[in-house]
Amino acid sequence: MKTFHKFLALAALTPFLAACTPSNEDVCNHVMDIMKKEMGDAEGAKAPTDEEVKKYTEKCVADLDKEKEKKGADAYNKQIKCVMAASDMEGMMKCEEKEEEEKKAE
């Protein structure tokens, strides 16, 4: 009976947990901001145009939708939370490395 109550509690909280995951647009904007920041540090790098940013964002959102279907919601959410916590490209790359290590451990 306790298991059933835990299940009901979890089922009731699931929509709130899903709501904590940032939107694909937010993730793509975060990645783009980091890329702009790091490219801005490079000599001679030109800032992307608004059209380039728009195209990147559209492709990024579509790619994230595919990634979520491929990985499943739980694995996808873990990786997205890691990416959103990253403040530079090195931090984002660690999210990918962490995911690969978790796959090997399974």
Side-chain angles (χ1 to χ4, degrees):
M1 193 64 155
K2 282 185 179 183
T3 304
F4 181 69
H5 289 292
K6 287 180 185 177
F7 174 75
L8 287 177
L10 182 60
L13 290 175
T14 299
F16 296 109
L17 295 174
C20 293
T21 303
S23 71
N24 289 351
E25 290 85 5
D26 289 342
V27 175
C28 294
N29 289 333
H30 178 69
V31 171
M32 179 58 87
D33 289 343
I34 289 174
M35 290 171 58
K36 284 181 187 176
K37 182 179 112 185
E38 293 202 4
M39 286 177 57
D41 293 342
E43 284 185 38
K46 69 173 190 140
T49 65
D50 290 342
E51 186 63 30
E52 289 171 329
V53 170
K54 183 180 176 186
K55 284 182 182 179
Y56 163 80
T57 302
E58 289 171 358
K59 181 177 180 338
C60 177
V61 167
D63 289 347
L64 288 177
D65 284 336
K66 290 176 189 172
E67 192 74 11
K68 187 174 185 176
E69 286 179 29
K70 180 178 147 188
K71 288 183 176 183
D74 289 339
Y76 173 82
N77 289 341
K78 277 184 189 178
Q79 185 173 17
I80 292 304
K81 286 179 182 178
C82 180
V83 167
M84 291 300 286
S87 60
D88 56 19
M89 292 299 289
E90 185 177 334
M92 287 193 295
M93 297 306 292
K94 288 180 182 178
C95 296
E96 191 72 29
E97 293 168 7
K98 184 178 175 183
E99 180 185 19
E100 289 182 18
E101 288 174 9
E102 289 176 359
K103 282 182 184 178
K104 288 178 184 179
E106 291 177 353

